[in-house]
Amino acid sequence: MTNELKHVYCEFNNTDHRTNLNGIDRLIVRRGQPFSISLYLRSGSYQPGVSSLDCVAETGPQPSEQYGTRASFGLSASIDTSRWSAAVASPPGDMVALLICSAPDAPIGRYTLTLGHSARIEFILLFNPWCPGDAVYMDNEQNLAEYVLAQDGIIFRGAYKHPIPTPWNFGQFESGILDVCLKILDMNPKYLRNPGKDCSGRRNPIYVSRVLSAMVNCNDDKGVLWGKWSGGYEGGVSPMLWRGSVEILRNWDTQACQPVRYGQCWVFAAVACSISRALGIPCRVVTNYLSAHDTNSNLVIERYVNENGEPIQSKEMIWNYHCWVENWMTRPDLKPDFHGWQAYDPTPQEKSEGVFCCGPIPVRAIKEGELTFKYDAPFVFAEVNADVITFIKKKDGSTSKVSSNALVGQKISTKSVGSDAREDITHLYKYPEGSAEEREAFKKADHQNKLLQQQQDQGLHLNIKVTSDMRKGCDFDVFAVVTNNTQSEKKCRLLFGSCALSYNGFMGGNCGFKDLLNVELSPGGERKVPLRLNYSKYGGQVTEDNLIRLAALLLDYTTGDTTLAVRNIVLDNPEIKVRILGEPKENRKLAAEITLHNPLPDTLENCCFSIEGANLTGGGIITERLGSPVGPGEDAKVKIYFTPTHSGLRKLVVDFDSNKLCHVKGYRNVIIGK
């Protein structure tokens, strides 16, 4: 059968394969699902049972049947969705309508399909979570809409007692982003060493996830992001400034694969999520509050304080929060019951098999304490379960253990399906504290049961309480509460201090301190000691994270026992109010009126509002600067125009920046009509 003309029906196929948001100017399909093309025959007509057609599908620079990157197949009576196949879907004639189907485990990537001697079709093949034969199959339309198709979302930051939703534009379908994601795969060292083997590995979402974990950071390769957690951000952009992944991915692409400066954990995770969704793997960003960074794999975090209760910096830390991602897939390499969500972490922390990457590891394996499973189970297990032991280091160099109530792995959070609410998924990572199942998981992890390590009740209790209204710019009180549960009088010394804190545990300058040498408590008595935090003192110390670490150290003169209580607080930024002017319609100019009230006793200068949104701002950022400063108690207000290009629910992400209030985030959900 010879042919000369072809039609690939990009709009129909891309819509049918749910890839039309990438555009309809080229063929983008998902594996294990048929697509339609037409051939116009040069001579004669198609005769069932007589005519034949040789089809060859190839991907990568060295396609081979051995690697599974080349497939040869002919016409069948009907489509077989379990392998590469082709079937005629039209009556005899000089125009033949063909159905082509890829294998559900074919490597993803760019393909050339040769039909007969002369017809060639190029297309992109993606993972297919709608296909039961695909390893990333997900049997829930609402989940698929959230974890594959949604181009915007919420990442939780702040503190575990005060989670703060941060909007993010994943933008995986914005113009050119899919090409950047495929380029990231082609820049990975495994591809550069052996492209044939690497392209073959792209059939497997486990392999692809591990490659992405390494390539989103630049520590070992030409990865996307440069991580920076201290000092200034000269020569780049503060991680706080990013509103979405699109600008980051485009910058990496246009700057000859030089790393984009700078990222921190939520940025690494968000970019990884964008790439996973673009390639067709269901993905979500997860936040673990009070996340342990265990450097020596003993599942214990050892912390030190000086005699004033001030922390002594060490490599082993507890991050105020840490973000990673979960990809959905089966794990045929492990024993049954470990399919589903797999945690992987692109933030460079520790090396795995000689490379800065982490995962994927089944979330279920972490819960069950299965630390021998691939990949990096002990590190992730420690992030959510590590024990914390605190020592006081005295001036003479001696150390002694301090009673403390430090927690690890709290309020593990992700965005809810179909809403901006926080979903608590802690139960997927760990059994309830103190339960028999938790003890069994620790036993399986060959780790001492933390319940056995808890010290006996000393009779003196210490905790820190705060007020609900802790806004940046205000003065407010925090309280150390000492309770005497013994039958005797107690005399104690109480040191109560505060310092600025970065989200990854690094301590900054002093924000307030008091030392009470003679705290007396009657049996059953309670003492509430306030510490005033003044903006005039903390305002110049806090970082963009808006975090303050509170620490109270109680010394019992009678017994010599020391108790430590620590609490991190996050200061609320002012709310950004967004009002949409006019009726939101597709391809019609729209205005947003954006307002922010200045809560500080300082004047805000160099004020700037920026907006970004998938299919709202053309894949770019629209910025509007204020012409004049905004005084204390005044409102900063602008009107920004944008043109939506697609209908549906869209998230308009807003960022405010000035000399005194940096990177205040807000958003507004907008329903765009046709």
Side-chain angles (χ1 to χ4, degrees):
M1 208 164 61
T2 58
N3 50 76
E4 58 179 20
L5 294 173
K6 59 187 181 296
H7 199 297
V8 294
Y9 305 115
C10 292
E11 183 173 5
F12 171 79
N13 285 318
N14 290 10
T15 302
D16 190 44
H17 285 245
R18 301 171 180 85
T19 63
N20 52 308
L21 280 173
N22 286 300
I24 54 172
D25 56 331
R26 57 181 173 165
L27 187 61
I28 304 171
V29 295
R30 299 187 186 274
R31 58 188 196 172
Q33 180 178 339
F35 58 92
S36 305
I37 60 172
S38 292
L39 293 181
Y40 293 88
L41 303 184
R42 186 179 296 157
S43 58
S45 61
Y46 166 69
Q47 299 297 325
V50 177
S51 304
S52 64
L53 182 67
D54 294 324
C55 306
V56 179
E58 296 177 315
T59 185
Q62 302 164 1
S64 76
E65 310 245 345
Q66 175 194 349
Y67 279 139
T69 50
R70 184 180 192 272
S72 302
F73 52 100
L75 291 175
S76 309
S78 60
I79 282 292
D80 181 352
T81 57
S82 69
R83 60 180 181 85
W84 284 96
S85 60
V88 174
S90 62
D94 60 358
M95 192 280 286
V96 181
L98 291 177
L99 286 176
I100 307 287
C101 188
S102 65
D105 62 349
I108 63 158
R110 301 181 189 279
Y111 273 81
T112 299
L113 176 64
T114 305
L115 302 159
H117 299 292
S118 54
R120 287 167 65 87
I121 293 168
E122 292 186 348
F123 64 94
I124 293 174
L125 186 67
L126 302 177
F127 289 108
N128 191 355
W130 286 269
C131 171
D134 197 307
V136 300
Y137 175 61
M138 180 177 261
D139 185 20
N140 184 304
E141 280 296 331
Q142 284 182 307
N143 287 359
L144 288 161
E146 180 70 54
Y147 299 134
V148 182
L149 300 180
Q151 292 197 79
D152 49 53
I154 295 290
I155 298 170
F156 289 93
R157 296 172 57 219
Y160 95 96
K161 291 201 173 180
H162 187 43
I164 295 178
T166 300
W168 192 268
N169 174 27
F170 295 111
Q172 68 269 28
F173 300 121
E174 293 284 13
S175 176
I177 294 301
L178 177 56
D179 296 288
V180 179
C181 295
L182 294 173
K183 186 174 181 178
I184 289 167
L185 295 182
D186 287 348
M187 291 305 296
N188 100 77
K190 293 178 182 177
Y191 177 87
L192 299 175
R193 280 195 300 268
N194 188 337
K197 189 176 180 183
D198 178 77
C199 286
S200 175
R202 296 180 193 180
R203 67 177 65 244
N204 186 347
I206 305 167
Y207 179 84
V208 171
S209 298
R210 192 145 174 85
V211 166
L212 294 183
S213 172
M215 282 299 295
V216 171
N217 71 71
C218 69
N219 287 43
D220 307 284
D221 43 48
K222 292 203 168 196
V224 177
L225 277 162
W226 183 304
K228 197 167 195 290
W229 285 267
S230 60
Y233 300 110
E234 298 79 13
V237 171
S238 162
M240 298 283 181
L241 190 59
W242 304 117
R243 301 158 202 84
S245 306
V246 176
E247 187 182 10
I248 294 169
L249 290 167
R250 285 182 177 162
N251 286 354
W252 177 83
D253 181 43
T254 57
Q255 293 167 13
C257 307
Q258 292 301 303
V260 178
R261 306 178 190 215
Y262 294 99
Q264 290 177 5
C265 71
W266 72 95
V267 185
F268 284 107
V271 170
C273 183
S274 296
I275 301 168
S276 291
R277 290 183 184 181
L279 298 177
I281 306 175
C283 185
R284 64 187 185 184
V285 177
V286 168
T287 301
N288 176 39
Y289 288 97
L290 300 179
S291 187
H293 183 166
D294 180 21
T295 59
N296 59 6
S297 301
N298 68 348
L299 308 185
V300 175
I301 303 297
E302 296 176 340
R303 298 202 298 186
Y304 294 85
V305 297
N306 63 21
E307 289 179 296
N308 287 334
E310 296 164 343
I312 298 169
Q313 205 78 58
S314 68
K315 286 185 178 179
E316 292 204 324
M317 302 172 72
I318 298 176
W319 296 36
N320 193 55
Y321 63 86
H322 180 53
C323 300
W324 57 75
V325 276
E326 293 174 358
N327 278 357
W328 179 273
M329 67 191 77
T330 57
R331 287 300 296 261
D333 59 322
L334 302 177
K335 56 188 181 184
D337 302 327
F338 291 92
H339 304 320
W341 290 117
Q342 315 287 316
Y344 83 94
D345 190 350
T347 299
Q349 295 181 88
E350 300 293 327
K351 285 192 174 186
S352 170
E353 297 180 338
V355 176
F356 278 100
C357 65
C358 180
I361 178 71
V363 172
R364 176 81 183 273
I366 300 305
K367 184 172 183 175
E368 300 296 341
E370 295 280 5
L371 300 199
T372 60
F373 284 9
K374 289 185 172 182
Y375 292 90
D376 308 305
F379 186 81
V380 181
F381 184 87
E383 286 182 304
V384 300
N385 283 309
D387 280 346
V388 182
I389 302 175
T390 305
F391 298 91
I392 186 167
K393 198 166 190 176
K394 298 174 183 174
K395 289 175 182 173
D396 62 7
S398 65
T399 61
S400 60
K401 204 169 175 181
V402 177
S403 169
S404 71
N405 57 352
L407 299 169
V408 161
Q410 299 296 304
K411 278 191 182 170
I412 305 175
S413 304
T414 192
K415 177 187 175 297
S416 294
V417 172
S419 87
D420 291 340
R422 185 183 70 87
E423 180 184 352
D424 194 307
I425 57 170
T426 309
H427 63 284
L428 299 181
Y429 278 86
K430 52 204 290 191
Y431 286 104
E433 297 276 344
S435 65
E437 294 92 341
E438 186 204 31
R439 287 196 296 274
E440 183 60 33
F442 269 80
K443 187 177 174 185
K444 200 180 291 179
D446 193 27
H447 178 46
Q448 285 183 306
N449 185 345
K450 63 175 156 186
L451 299 178
L452 299 178
Q453 295 181 349
Q454 290 181 353
Q455 295 184 347
Q456 292 296 311
D457 186 352
Q458 296 178 358
L460 276 177
H461 279 211
L462 174 67
N463 60 34
I464 297 172
K465 293 192 175 178
V466 299
T467 61
S468 58
D469 192 21
M470 295 181 292
R471 289 176 290 119
K472 193 168 186 180
C474 294
D475 300 339
F476 57 90
D477 288 321
V478 292
F479 303 91
V481 181
V482 187
T483 310
N484 180 10
N485 292 331
T486 72
Q487 301 301 312
S488 57
E489 293 266 348
K490 287 286 185 183
K491 283 190 177 181
C492 310
R493 180 184 181 187
L494 177 69
L495 300 103
F496 192 13
S498 61
C499 66
L501 180 71
S502 294
Y503 86 95
N504 62 334
F506 277 94
M507 264 67 74
N510 173 30
C511 296
F513 181 79
K514 82 168 37 171
D515 183 358
L516 300 181
L517 294 172
N518 198 10
V519 177
E520 296 186 356
L521 291 157
S522 57
E526 181 180 281
R527 178 88 181 267
K528 193 175 183 181
V529 178
L531 176 66
R532 188 74 169 169
L533 295 184
N534 296 302
Y535 174 72
S536 60
K537 183 151 192 180
Y538 74 72
Q541 300 290 344
V542 292
T543 68
E544 296 166 330
D545 295 315
N546 274 8
L547 285 167
I548 295 176
R549 178 188 187 271
L550 308 174
L553 189 70
L554 186 70
L555 173 64
D556 183 344
Y557 287 133
T558 313
T559 64
D561 291 330
T562 308
T563 305
L564 176 71
V566 177
R567 180 165 181 173
N568 299 336
I569 60 171
V570 59
L571 305 176
D572 283 328
N573 276 320
E575 179 188 2
I576 295 178
K577 295 180 180 177
V578 183
R579 193 161 67 98
I580 302 298
L581 309 177
E583 186 182 358
K585 288 278 190 182
E586 195 176 298
N587 297 316
R588 182 193 291 177
K589 202 172 192 180
L590 198 59
E593 183 185 80
I594 306 172
T595 310
L596 176 140
H597 180 75
N598 178 11
L600 306 184
D602 304 318
T603 297
L604 303 181
E605 297 176 349
N606 305 319
C607 300
C608 174
F609 283 101
S610 302
I611 65 168
E612 181 179 359
N615 306 124
L616 292 178
T617 57
I621 297 165
I622 302 174
T623 299
E624 191 73 37
R625 291 195 172 276
L626 271 68
S628 56
V630 179
E634 294 180 356
D635 287 341
K637 184 182 285 189
V638 296
K639 196 181 287 184
I640 302 182
Y641 294 89
F642 59 100
T643 304
T645 54
H646 285 85
S647 60
L649 182 67
R650 304 289 168 205
K651 189 177 265 68
L652 188 69
V653 179
V654 184
D655 184 270
F656 175 81
D657 207 3
S658 74
N659 63 324
K660 292 284 186 180
L661 278 174
C662 295
H663 314 313
V664 181
K665 295 283 193 296
Y667 70 95
R668 169 71 184 263
N669 287 328
V670 189
I671 299 175
I672 310 297
K674 287 209 177 272

